[in-house]
Amino acid sequence: MNGMDSPMREALRQQESACAHDVPAFASIATRIEAAPSPLEAERWPAAKGARLAASLVAAQVRVVPYAVLAAAVVVAAAALAGACLIGMTGVAAVEAAWWFAAFLLVGAAITVTLALSSGRADALALATPLGPQTVALARLAAVLGVDALVGLASSAAFAWWGSIELGFVVVSWLVPLALVAGASAFVAVWSETPWAGAVVGAVLVPLVLPAAQADTAGGAWGLVGVVQGALGPVGLVALGAALLAAAVCSSRRAALARLQVV
């Protein structure tokens, strides 16, 4: 074997010598690296380009989320309009009819968010995308809440016209607590193994966040709810909802990884 090793080593040396002249010197390589622009120092994208990319991602999520999301949003909005109109025909005050209208719309938002983010959708592919689950969850939430807002505005205009109620009052009644209900539903849907857990939590939360709950001054649990709502105010409710939405988005990757772990 030793006799065969020497010719082999000599052949390798000759091959290395023949290819050595094609390899640049270390100093030349270092100079090229130093002269090359760093990705960290590259110019930032203009705001218009970032907005276009974000809009494209949201539009792509519209094609990914289940078709039941749009159907559920439309059906619940129609049910909210019909139910509020029937309640208004019984002679109750317009404010109470508006309360039921807002409650139906918020329950619909909890359902659509759960349909889009529930772990039952088996969205493990989100972990393999270059954007990551957080960006996908944010775009999906934006798409779903955008659909809910558009459908809600259309039904609110119809209800305000039918009941001769100020449109701004009707819209604010459900738009202010929308972030809180959607945030709680999204967070539970992302982490729960039960597909409909987010919708259930959102539906339970609806009567606690509607402004009409403050009208109950009989004390007890409802009185405490009214005190908390009064302390938070509309801005506090929106901020709390935004915090829950951010928590759901930021923890979506950890939740997806946790579901993939083999127990």
Side-chain angles (χ1 to χ4, degrees), residues 181-261:
V181 173
S185 301
F187 187 82
V188 174
V190 165
W191 279 97
S192 176
E193 295 293 337
T194 304
W196 286 100
V200 172
V201 170
V204 171
L205 193 62
V206 166
L208 305 179
V209 298
L210 283 176
Q214 301 179 38
D216 193 339
T217 57
W222 286 114
L224 179 61
V225 170
V227 172
V228 173
Q229 285 191 11
L232 290 175
V235 176
L237 289 176
V238 174
L240 184 58
L244 283 174
L245 288 171
V249 171
C250 294
S251 64
S252 58
R253 178 180 179 84
R254 185 179 298 178
L257 289 173
R259 288 196 296 270
L260 291 178
Q261 291 179 356

Side-chain angles (χ1 to χ4, degrees), residues 31 45 49 51 60 62 85 87 97-98 105 126 151 156 179 194 243 249 252:
T31 303
W45 284 347
K49 182 178 180 181
V62 174
C85 291
I87 292 173
L105 286 184
V151 174
S156 296
T194 304
V249 171
S252 58

Side-chain angles (χ1 to χ4, degrees), residues 142-211:
V144 172
L145 292 180
V147 170
D148 289 334
L150 290 175
V151 174
L153 288 173
S155 58
S156 296
F159 177 69
W161 174 81
W162 180 88
S164 299
I165 308 174
E166 184 183 354
L167 178 60
F169 171 78
V170 177
V171 172
V172 170
S173 66
W174 59 266
L175 190 59
V176 169
L178 175 62
L180 184 54
V181 173
S185 301
F187 187 82
V188 174
V190 165
W191 279 97
S192 176
E193 295 293 337
T194 304
W196 286 100
V200 172
V201 170
V204 171
L205 193 62
V206 166
L208 305 179
V209 298
L210 283 176

Side-chain angles (χ1 to χ4, degrees), residues 14-15 51 62 67 114 139 150-151 199 233:
Q14 293 178 1
Q15 183 67 22
V62 174
Y67 295 116
T114 302
L150 290 175
V151 174

Side-chain angles (χ1 to χ4, degrees), residues 40 42 68 71 110 124 131 152 226:
L40 300 177
L131 298 172

